Amino acid sequence: MDSRRRDVLKAGGGLGIWSVLAAAGIVTPAQAQDARNVAAFEATTLDDALRALGAGNAAESGAIRIGAPDVAEDGRAVALSVASDIPRTEQIVILIEENPYKVAASFRLSGAMAPSIQTRVKMARSTRVHVLVKADGRLFAARREVTVTVGGCGT
């Protein structure tokens, strides 16, 4: 995807959603500005993304379940599910190691939500999917290898 197109889509989509929420009084303009970790979403190396997320000391956890196909036929839309059995899960972040931009998605969860998400992500090639879970102020991590037969995004 052309990086300028990606920038326009990110800015337009993000501004539209946050503008509606701010106009409705659901969030303040300051909350809308702080909601997105720009450095993490624009990181082009896994180390930079983890550093931006403050995940240098994330503990490995078997309480994070990553559902993904062993072999994804089309990298343009790979189905992923993540569930956390860690009490007080606040956030789930999905990182794709071999994608041009490492952070694929970030979900903030309220206490009323089940710590489980389902989404589709683009994957450039076969790689590890990393998941970070923030729970009770601590970070936990899990990984899973996914083989992609046809890549879904360019560099």
Side-chain angles (χ1 to χ4, degrees):
M1 174 182 287
D2 179 16
S3 65
R4 286 180 291 157
R5 180 173 177 248
R6 177 185 171 95
D7 291 341
V8 168
L9 290 173
K10 284 191 308 186
L15 288 174
I17 291 170
W18 287 109
S19 297
V20 169
L21 293 174
I26 296 171
V27 298
T28 66
Q31 287 173 314
Q33 180 68 27
D34 293 338
R36 186 168 177 266
N37 184 335
V38 174
F41 273 92
E42 292 182 356
T44 57
T45 69
L46 188 60
D47 287 340
D48 288 347
L50 293 172
R51 190 173 15 266
L53 293 165
N57 61 350
E60 290 292 320
S61 177
I64 301 169
R65 296 183 313 277
I66 303 171
D70 291 327
V71 177
E73 305 254 343
D74 187 350
R76 292 178 294 183
V78 179
L80 290 180
S81 65
V82 178
S84 171
D85 292 330
I86 303 169
R88 294 179 291 286
T89 295
E90 306 164 20
Q91 184 176 15
I92 297 173
V93 180
I94 299 171
L95 300 100
I96 312 294
E97 192 170 309
E98 291 295 326
N99 276 7
Y101 295 95
K102 305 309 176 194
V103 176
S106 177
F107 302 89
R108 293 197 187 269
L109 309 172
S110 74
M113 297 173 70
S116 176
I117 58 101
Q118 294 181 357
T119 191
R120 292 188 183 275
V121 297
K122 284 187 176 186
M123 294 181 68
R125 62 185 59 90
S126 299
T127 188
R128 281 188 295 263
V129 173
H130 298 256
V131 173
L132 293 175
V133 169
K134 183 176 182 182
D136 208 20
R138 296 181 53 212
L139 287 169
F140 301 90
R143 290 164 193 75
R144 176 169 177 160
E145 188 75 29
V146 177
T147 301
V148 175
T149 57
V150 177
C153 52
T155 55

